Amino acid sequence: MITPASNAPDRNLALELVRVTEAAAIAGARWVGAGDKNLADGAAVDAMRSFMDTVQMNGTVVIGEGEKDEAPMLFNGESVGDGTGPDVDVAVDPIDGTRLTALGYNNALAVFAVAEKGSMYDPSAVFYMEKMVVGPEAAEFVDLRLPIEQNIKLVAKALGKPVNQVTVCVLERPRHEPLVDQIRAAGARVKFIMDGDVAGAIAAARGAGVDMLLGTGGTPEGIIAACAVKATGGMIQGRLAPIDDAEKQKAIDAGHDLERVLTTDDLVATDNCYFAATGITDGDLLRGVRYRGDRIVTESIVMRSTSGTVRIVEAEHRAEKWSRWLTD
C-alpha cells in the first residue's frame, strides 16, 4: 500500500496528464488528412513537450520517441515535468498512429503513461514483441504459450459466448497472414487495424468491440498499454521479437530471455500507474478532435490502476488560445 507521505504519484496527477494528451491531440489534429505524418508527429511532440513541463512531477522518459524515431524531443532518458512532485517513469507517444492521422483514418490517439520510478520494463531497444491482450473475464485462463485455437476457445468460455462470436483484433501486416489463418480456422472473427495497437489493446482489455488482441507490434506500445490494462483488470502478455540477428544479440547481451513470456506486472511492476489518451481521429475507443465554431472539442480517457478508475473526459477549448498549433 502506498502512503500519502511517499514520493509516489497520487490521484491529483490524473487530470494533469489529460491536459498533456489534449494538447498533443489538438496540435496533431491540425494535420489530419494532410498526407504528411512527420508534420503531424512534429506538431504533437512540440505541444506535448510544452505542456509536460507544467506537470508537477520529476519524470524520466523511459519509453519515448526514442532511437527508432530519431526524435529531438521526448527521447529516452530525457527529464520531463517541472521537477517537483513524485519521481516517475514516463512513457509517451504523441501520436499512436501517425499514418492514420496523415491519411485521415480512424483510431489515432495521443497517449501518455506514468508509473512509479523504476517500474517500467526496459526492452533494451528491441522494438517489437508478440502480444496478447484480453479483458478481466479471461485474464486468468489464457497463455501466450498455448496454441491460438486453445486461447480463443478459453476466451469464448470465459465470456460465455460461442467461438464464432469471438472477435480478435490484429494489425494488418503481411507477417500476420499465418496468424489470421489460425484465428479463422478456429472459427473466430478477425478485426484488422492499420496502425495504433495501443487503442486495439485497450479495446480488448475493456471489451470495446473486440475480445482479444493478438500479433506482433511495438514493444514501447506494449508497455504503454500495460499501464492502461492495469486499471481495467485485464491482461497483457508479451514476448520479445527481435527483427534480425543483430537485435537478437543485443537483447541477449542485455540479459533478456527471448523465450520468456512477460506478464502485465513484468511490463509495469507497480500498482500505482496512470494512462491518459485523447482521440485525434474518431475510433472505437474515443472520438477525434472536433471543431465547433470558436471551440475545439476533445474526448479523452484517463485511468488509474490504484483505484481501478476509468474516466471519459470531454472538454471544450477556445480555439484562439491554440493559435500556435492551429496555423502553419
Side-chain angles (χ1 to χ4, degrees), residues 31-223:
W31 300 100
V32 168
D36 191 325
K37 66 180 185 179
N38 292 325
L39 282 176
D41 195 47
V45 169
D46 184 29
M48 178 171 274
R49 188 66 176 84
S50 296
F51 275 73
M52 199 178 290
D53 280 343
T54 70
V55 178
Q56 290 186 338
M57 65 179 182
N58 183 25
T60 301
V61 176
V62 175
I63 303 295
E65 291 289 272
E67 182 180 334
K68 185 170 70 170
D69 297 306
E70 299 180 351
M73 289 189 289
L74 299 178
F75 54 84
N76 294 2
E78 184 176 359
S79 296
V80 294
D82 70 357
T84 68
D87 297 328
V88 294
D89 286 347
V90 171
V92 298
D93 197 343
I95 300 182
D96 181 44
T98 53
R99 184 166 63 126
L100 302 178
T101 302
L103 299 178
Y105 289 145
N106 287 358
N107 288 318
L109 301 174
V111 301
F112 186 10
V114 167
E116 291 182 79
K117 188 173 180 61
S119 63
M120 287 188 182
Y121 180 72
D122 178 5
S124 302
V126 179
F127 294 125
Y128 293 95
M129 68 190 304
E130 297 176 62
K131 302 176 195 175
M132 177 169 60
V133 182
V134 296
E137 298 86 355
E140 298 299 319
F141 302 104
V142 296
D143 191 306
L144 192 59
R145 291 163 290 198
L146 295 176
I148 298 297
E149 181 178 7
Q150 187 174 349
N151 276 322
I152 289 172
K153 289 180 176 178
L154 289 168
V155 169
K157 183 177 180 180
L159 295 177
K161 62 168 67 174
V163 168
N164 64 12
Q165 292 180 14
V166 173
T167 302
V168 183
C169 182
V170 180
L171 275 170
E172 189 175 9
R173 299 288 188 274
R175 65 176 178 267
H176 287 151
E177 290 175 4
L179 170 64
V180 169
D181 289 343
Q182 291 179 67
I183 293 169
R184 288 173 172 162
R189 307 173 178 185
V190 175
K191 180 174 182 177
F192 286 113
I193 53 175
M194 283 185 58
D195 289 297
D197 72 348
V198 171
I202 298 168
R206 300 189 73 212
V210 297
D211 303 303
M212 303 178 71
L213 177 135
L214 290 172
T216 301
T219 304
E221 288 82 359
I223 297 167

